[in-house]
Amino acid sequence: LKQFTFVVAKKLVRDVRAAWKVNLPPESNSKSVLKMLASEDKGGYNTLLALDIACSSTNNVDVATDAAIPSTIVKVIQLLFSLPPGADRNREHCIEKLMAFMCKIVPYRSVVHELLTTDTLTLLFNLISLQCPLHNISYKEQYV
């Protein structure tokens, strides 16, 4: 199961990076990543579901962390938070799934270490503690 978890985690990271173009404006990147995550035929949503199931044990969370899943998920959450409400009907569902997944894995030491070394722990802290647009407050209240 460890190898499967690593392969699935790497696939999700690779798919997010492929959807996230450096030279695009943030809203275009948000829509591109959201389209990938919400698409069943591109496997983004199914990959996230498989990873969520696989990460029910410490060993598998550690393996997913080796593939840079925590920092990738935090960056995607931040990117999706930048989309205005109603921009895509899948936005809310994807944010909920990503937030629930992060809440599941963040208590693990390897996850915190990866977030620290990639400097995304600060980004996560800012997401949950700083003032945000009204349409994102429900996520903060539900998961923080």
Side-chain angles (χ1 to χ4, degrees):
L1 192 57
K2 283 183 184 181
Q3 287 178 329
F4 172 77
T5 303
F6 186 75
V7 169
V8 169
K10 269 306 210 192
K11 179 186 180 346
L12 186 59
V13 170
R14 189 174 49 251
D15 290 349
V16 166
R17 288 179 180 162
W20 193 324
K21 307 293 185 213
V22 175
N23 55 348
L24 291 178
E27 188 170 339
S28 296
N29 269 327
S30 298
K31 288 179 180 178
S32 177
V33 171
L34 183 58
K35 182 178 178 182
M36 182 278 301
L37 283 173
S39 172
E40 289 187 24
D41 58 327
K42 292 189 179 184
Y45 185 73
N46 291 331
T47 305
L48 182 59
L49 285 177
L51 190 59
D52 189 25
I53 293 167
C55 285
S56 53
S57 77
T58 304
N59 292 336
N60 291 335
V61 171
D62 293 343
V63 169
T65 300
D66 290 342
I69 278 295
S71 58
T72 301
I73 297 294
V74 169
K75 291 173 187 174
V76 169
I77 291 170
Q78 181 194 32
L79 194 64
L80 295 181
F81 265 31
S82 70
L83 271 178
D88 188 291
R89 61 183 173 84
N90 295 310
R91 176 187 173 273
E92 287 78 16
H93 183 70
C94 284
I95 290 175
E96 285 179 23
K97 190 68 183 160
L98 292 166
M99 293 286 283
F101 180 71
M102 276 307 296
C103 287
K104 179 180 184 175
I105 66 170
V106 84
Y108 292 93
R109 178 172 289 173
S110 62
V111 172
V112 174
H113 180 70
E114 196 259 350
L115 292 172
L116 275 170
T117 58
T118 59
D119 207 29
T120 48
L121 186 61
T122 304
L123 184 60
L124 179 62
F125 181 75
N126 288 341
L127 280 171
I128 62 173
S129 64
L130 295 179
Q131 194 170 12
C132 67
L134 291 175
H135 59 270
N136 291 331
I137 288 178
S138 64
Y139 303 115
K140 286 177 68 170
E141 290 173 350
Q142 183 176 358
Y143 293 104
V144 176

